């Protein structure tokens, strides 16, 4: 359990901190006008690692909310993983140079697997793959399109590439507080050697408890979004559970 991390999520749209429902940009709730202040709040609550997505960037295919990301990096000391609009090696390098600890490649992992492999070779341990699934098939372009390949097929492409983690999101649950899809996430984790992070739907302390059970032992962590913002998940209680599990 020593590697399990609970990542608080900051999704950026128009420079603001928002949460979407099922990845739909038209169903966005603004939770904080100041993402750097939100990042600082998460750091003060004791979180060890921040998960950030440039939503506009995911649709545009290039970074859009760079100003907000840079403001966060200036404000907090905890590591940050960033996804959204990272489609070439120059963008990977630019973000790592600016202080991002780990970049997340999503659409390009489906369209251009060689980019992931070359980035992971060049920056070992600093490249993750974001696989977002709708009915088991990987969605791309900010979830606007669904491909014909399964999550497992894509994940297996990167088995020996040195990828730091696979972040697996169940789009059907994302932002809806229905609970993590642990069955699908654990099945993926059991089928590959790359660490897997669960994302989409984390609703309460029960999800955190489930993530710490023996059957989920291969999971590297989970991402919490809306449940933190609307108070359904108590950060102190969740982090205490994880600390106790690590110590056991």
């Amino acid at each position: 359990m020593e590697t399990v991390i609970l990542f608080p999520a900051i999704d950026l749209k128009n420079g603001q901190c928002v949460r979407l429902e099922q990845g739909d940009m038209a169903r966005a709730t603004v939770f904080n006008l100041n993402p750097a202040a939100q990042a600082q709040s998460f750091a003060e609550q004791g979180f060890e690692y921040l998960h950030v997505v440039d939503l506009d960037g995911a649709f545009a295919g290039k970074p859009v909310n760079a100003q907000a990301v840079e403001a966060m990096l200036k404000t907090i000391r905890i590591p940050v993983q960033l996804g959204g609009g990272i489609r070439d090696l120059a963008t990977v390098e630019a973000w790592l140079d600016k202080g991002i600890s780990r970049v997340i490649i999503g659409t390009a992992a489906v369209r251009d697997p060689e980019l992931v492999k070359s980035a992971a070779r060049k920056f070992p341990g600093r490249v993750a793959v974001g696989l977002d699934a709708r009915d088991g098939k990987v969605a791309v372009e900010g979830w606007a399109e669904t491909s014909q390949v399964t999550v497992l097929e894509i994940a297996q492409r990167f088995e020996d590439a040195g990828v730091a983690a696979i972040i697996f999101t169940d789009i059907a649950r994302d932002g809806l507080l229905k609970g993590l899809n642990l069955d699908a996430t654990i099945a993926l984790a059991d089928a590959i050697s790359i660490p897997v992070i669960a994302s989409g739907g984390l609703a309460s302390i029960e999800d955190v408890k489930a993530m710490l059970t023996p059957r989920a032992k291969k999971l590297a962590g989970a991402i919490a979004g809306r449940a933190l913002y609307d108070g359904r998940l108590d950060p102190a209680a969740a982090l205490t559970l994880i600390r106790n599990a690590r110590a056991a």
Side-chain angles (χ1 to χ4, degrees), residues 58-72:
F59 282 91
K62 60 179 193 277
V64 174
N65 286 287
Q67 206 173 341
V69 176
E70 288 167 25
M72 283 190 261

Side-chain angles (χ1 to χ4, degrees), residues 64 71 85 100 125 131 134 142 148 173 205 211 222:
V64 174
I100 290 294
L131 295 181
R134 189 180 278 115
Q148 292 309 303
R173 292 171 183 244
I205 199 81
M211 187 179 83

Side-chain angles (χ1 to χ4, degrees), residues 4 10 18 21 25-26 28 37 43 45 52 59 67 76 97 126 138 149 161-162 164 171 176 181 189 205 237 242-243:
V4 173
I10 291 182
V18 306
E21 291 180 17
M25 289 289 259
Q45 286 165 10
V52 179
F59 282 91
Q67 206 173 341
I76 59 172
D97 284 348
R126 302 189 70 188
V138 177
V149 280
I171 296 171
L176 297 184
N181 186 347
I205 199 81
I242 291 169
R243 272 195 300 273

Side-chain angles (χ1 to χ4, degrees), residues 51-235:
H51 174 83
V52 179
V53 177
D54 179 352
L55 294 173
D56 299 303
F59 282 91
K62 60 179 193 277
V64 174
N65 286 287
Q67 206 173 341
V69 176
E70 288 167 25
M72 283 190 261
L73 291 171
K74 289 193 181 83
T75 305
I76 59 172
R77 294 284 167 265
I78 61 172
V80 177
Q81 63 181 20
L82 173 71
I86 300 172
R87 308 276 168 88
D88 55 50
L89 204 53
T91 307
V92 170
E93 199 152 358
W95 277 126
L96 295 178
D97 284 348
K98 284 178 176 170
I100 290 294
S101 298
R102 185 156 75 190
V103 294
I104 303 162
I105 299 176
T107 294
V110 179
R111 301 262 165 86
D112 184 10
E114 285 309 312
L115 167 66
V116 174
K117 292 175 182 176
S118 55
R121 271 196 303 272
K122 191 170 183 184
F123 305 106
R126 302 189 70 188
V127 176
V129 170
L131 295 181
D132 309 321
R134 189 180 278 115
D135 301 322
K137 300 285 172 61
V138 177
V140 293
E141 305 291 347
W143 300 354
E145 297 174 29
T146 305
S147 71
Q148 292 309 303
V149 280
T150 68
V151 169
L152 183 57
E153 284 171 315
I154 300 284
Q156 286 173 330
R157 289 179 187 172
F158 304 116
E159 270 287 40
D160 301 313
V163 167
I166 300 275
I167 297 160
F168 171 62
T169 304
D170 183 344
I171 296 171
R173 292 171 183 244
D174 193 63
L176 297 184
L177 300 162
K178 289 183 172 179
L180 291 169
N181 186 347
L182 274 184
D183 289 343
T185 311
I186 290 167
L188 177 64
D190 285 342
I192 59 174
S193 59
I194 307 165
V196 175
I197 296 166
S199 170
L202 193 148
S204 71
I205 199 81
E206 296 308 314
D207 280 309
V208 179
K209 288 177 183 169
M211 187 179 83
L212 300 172
T213 56
R215 81 182 188 108
K217 65 182 182 297
K218 286 190 73 178
L219 294 189
I223 291 165
R226 190 175 285 268
L228 286 171
Y229 289 98
D230 62 14
R232 291 167 199 249
L233 181 65
D234 175 2

